[in-house]
Amino acid sequence: MSETVLPQDDLQSAPQAAALPAPKKSGRGAAGIAVVALLLGAAGVAVGGWSVWQLRQLQAGHQAQSGQLQALDNQAQALSQGEQALTARLGTLPSADELEERRRLVAQLQGDQQRLSQRLESVLGASRKDWRLAEAEHLLRLASLRLSALQDITSAKALVQGADEILREQDDPSAFAAREQLAKSMASLNSVQQPDRTGLFLQLGALRDQTVGLSALAPEFQAQGDAERARLVSDDNRWEQWWAKIASYFRVDFRPDENIRPLLAGQSLNQVRLALSLALEQAQWAALNGEPKVFGQALDEARAILLASFNQDNTESRSMLARIDELKGQPVSVVTPDLNSSLEAVQNYLEHRHMPAEALMTQPGAQPKQEARP
């Protein structure tokens, strides 16, 4: 590299020039230099602050990136663990041939289960029908018992109707004869009127309550009232005093043509009322139990007691006698129809329902099937 060699004169004049004092500048120039320096300082501070802010932003971004990298690393580890677990699980799964064999076994098991369910449904359906038919027979037995024991027409109607509903649910043409017999029994029950036994019992009870107010055939003699009237008679009328005294011991009857009956004392009257009440109670029992003979005899006895021992001029006695005559004409029993034919028809239907077709054909009166001719 070549160096530039200055002339000797130039070398000597250079230090001299440097030693010379600089010319003085004006005050305005110094102020401008100060302003420029301040501006340069402010610019430097701004540049420094901006540089610090950028550095902090970079540090924050670096930290955020570090956190994201850590999260990604954790996810990668979790995925790796899941992959390992999945690989281990896949290793425990059976092979394709084994899966195919299991699928075949499952399909076979489902088919067997379906066939078993169908057989069970058919068996239960038949059992349910048998139970319902047995219930119909039991209802007819109850209806026959209610008619024979209590003559309860209303309950018998409901029971026969229930048996017919069960046969209708079977939807079996073989039950036609049984349903026909049930229809006849229902028509017979509808033609019979149910007696109002409860109403008769309550009406007779009301008559029993009225027996307490009945009076005797002739009123008891009250001597005390005559004695009081004798005290009111003046001393001048001795005849009236004497008559009042005699009247306290004797009684004059101005109707000798009528039968003379002894007067009822208090205890005897109570006994007669008790006898009347017992007769009406016996009529109540006969009305509830459907005994027309006992019912008529009890009412006749009550009517005889009323005529013999109580005053017919009394309104209560007369009304009770009329009421007894009215109740005597009320029916307490009916002729109930016989349900044995309906019960036998249902029993025959149950027997024929369980018999095979060959047994039905061997029965007397059965017509053999004719072969179809071409």
Side-chain angles (χ1 to χ4, degrees), residues 202-262:
L202 296 176
Q203 293 174 15
L204 291 171
L207 291 179
R208 286 183 59 195
D209 296 338
Q210 292 180 3
T211 56
V212 181
L214 295 177
S215 60
L217 181 65
E220 296 182 0
F221 180 68
Q222 301 292 340
Q224 185 177 0
D226 295 339
E228 293 293 336
R229 286 193 301 271
R231 294 190 186 95
L232 298 177
V233 178
S234 59
D235 296 336
D236 299 336
N237 195 347
R238 298 293 180 181
W239 169 254
E240 291 182 359
Q241 294 180 2
W242 177 80
W243 179 256
K245 188 68 175 177
I246 295 299
S248 61
Y249 299 102
F250 299 96
R251 181 179 180 185
V252 179
D253 191 359
F254 296 98
R255 295 178 296 178
D257 55 337
E258 295 183 358
N259 294 330
I260 299 176
R261 296 183 178 89

Side-chain angles (χ1 to χ4, degrees), residues 72-84:
L72 291 175
D73 190 13
N74 295 333
Q75 292 179 1
Q77 292 179 1
L79 290 175
S80 178
Q81 293 176 359
E83 183 180 0
Q84 293 176 1

Side-chain angles (χ1 to χ4, degrees), residues 101 144 158 178 259 288 311 315 338 349 353 356:
E101 181 66 20
S144 179
N259 294 330
L288 285 180
N311 190 359
T315 305
D338 189 9
Y349 167 67
R353 185 172 180 272

Side-chain angles (χ1 to χ4, degrees), residues 138-190:
H138 182 65
L139 290 178
L140 289 177
R141 291 182 184 276
L142 285 179
S144 179
L145 182 62
R146 298 285 294 184
L147 287 177
S148 61
L150 301 177
Q151 297 181 354
D152 192 354
I153 304 298
T154 305
S155 299
K157 288 180 182 179
L159 293 172
V160 174
Q161 185 66 30
D164 185 69
E165 289 292 333
I166 293 175
L167 292 179
R168 183 179 65 84
E169 292 175 359
Q170 302 300 318
D171 195 14
D172 188 3
S174 302
F176 177 79
R179 293 197 64 190
E180 181 182 9
Q181 195 62 42
L182 288 177
K184 292 180 181 180
S185 299
M186 182 61 68
S188 301
L189 291 173
N190 290 329

Side-chain angles (χ1 to χ4, degrees), residues 51-354:
S51 299
V52 172
W53 180 79
Q54 287 290 332
L55 181 60
R56 291 182 177 179
Q57 290 292 328
L58 290 175
Q59 291 177 354
H62 179 69
Q63 292 177 357
Q65 290 178 358
S66 298
Q68 292 178 358
L69 289 175
Q70 186 66 29
L72 291 175
D73 190 13
N74 295 333
Q75 292 179 1
Q77 292 179 1
L79 290 175
S80 178
Q81 293 176 359
E83 183 180 0
Q84 293 176 1
L86 184 60
T87 303
R89 188 173 180 182
L90 288 175
T92 58
L93 292 177
S95 61
D97 297 336
E98 189 176 356
L99 287 176
E100 182 65 22
E101 181 66 20
R102 291 184 180 182
R103 187 191 64 80
R104 186 183 63 80
L105 291 177
V106 168
Q108 183 179 359
L109 179 60
Q110 290 179 351
D112 295 341
Q113 184 179 3
Q114 186 176 3
R115 287 191 295 271
L116 180 61
S117 177
Q118 292 176 357
R119 291 184 58 186
L120 181 62
E121 183 67 24
S122 61
V123 171
L124 289 180
S127 300
R128 189 179 296 109
K129 290 182 179 180
D130 293 339
W131 294 340
R132 293 289 288 170
L133 291 174
E135 182 182 357
E137 182 183 2
H138 182 65
L139 290 178
L140 289 177
R141 291 182 184 276
L142 285 179
S144 179
L145 182 62
R146 298 285 294 184
L147 287 177
S148 61
L150 301 177
Q151 297 181 354
D152 192 354
I153 304 298
T154 305
S155 299
K157 288 180 182 179
L159 293 172
V160 174
Q161 185 66 30
D164 185 69
E165 289 292 333
I166 293 175
L167 292 179
R168 183 179 65 84
E169 292 175 359
Q170 302 300 318
D171 195 14
D172 188 3
S174 302
F176 177 79
R179 293 197 64 190
E180 181 182 9
Q181 195 62 42
L182 288 177
K184 292 180 181 180
S185 299
M186 182 61 68
S188 301
L189 291 173
N190 290 329
S191 62
V192 178
Q193 185 179 3
Q194 177 72 41
D196 188 11
R197 296 174 181 173
T198 305
L200 289 176
F201 180 85
L202 296 176
Q203 293 174 15
L204 291 171
L207 291 179
R208 286 183 59 195
D209 296 338
Q210 292 180 3
T211 56
V212 181
L214 295 177
S215 60
L217 181 65
E220 296 182 0
F221 180 68
Q222 301 292 340
Q224 185 177 0
D226 295 339
E228 293 293 336
R229 286 193 301 271
R231 294 190 186 95
L232 298 177
V233 178
S234 59
D235 296 336
D236 299 336
N237 195 347
R238 298 293 180 181
W239 169 254
E240 291 182 359
Q241 294 180 2
W242 177 80
W243 179 256
K245 188 68 175 177
I246 295 299
S248 61
Y249 299 102
F250 299 96
R251 181 179 180 185
V252 179
D253 191 359
F254 296 98
R255 295 178 296 178
D257 55 337
E258 295 183 358
N259 294 330
I260 299 176
R261 296 183 178 89
L263 295 179
L264 292 176
Q267 185 176 1
S268 300
L269 182 60
N270 291 333
Q271 292 177 355
V272 171
R273 288 173 179 172
L274 180 60
L276 179 59
S277 178
L278 291 177
L280 293 177
E281 186 176 359
Q282 187 178 11
Q284 284 182 307
W285 177 88
L288 285 180
N289 291 273
E291 298 289 341
K293 185 176 180 180
V294 179
F295 182 75
Q297 291 177 356
L299 290 183
D300 290 340
E301 183 180 357
R303 190 174 187 278
I305 293 173
L306 277 174
L307 292 175
S309 302
F310 292 95
N311 190 359
Q312 300 303 313
D313 294 335
N314 190 358
T315 305
E316 294 182 357
S317 301
R318 188 167 57 252
S319 63
M320 183 177 292
L321 185 62
R323 189 57 182 164
I324 289 177
D325 294 337
E326 182 181 354
L327 293 178
K328 187 177 180 181
Q330 297 292 331
V332 295
S333 64
V334 293
V335 179
T336 58
D338 189 9
L339 299 181
N340 291 328
S341 57
S342 298
L343 183 59
E344 292 177 358
V346 173
Q347 290 175 350
N348 292 333
Y349 167 67
L350 293 178
E351 293 177 359
H352 287 75
R353 185 172 180 272
H354 295 285

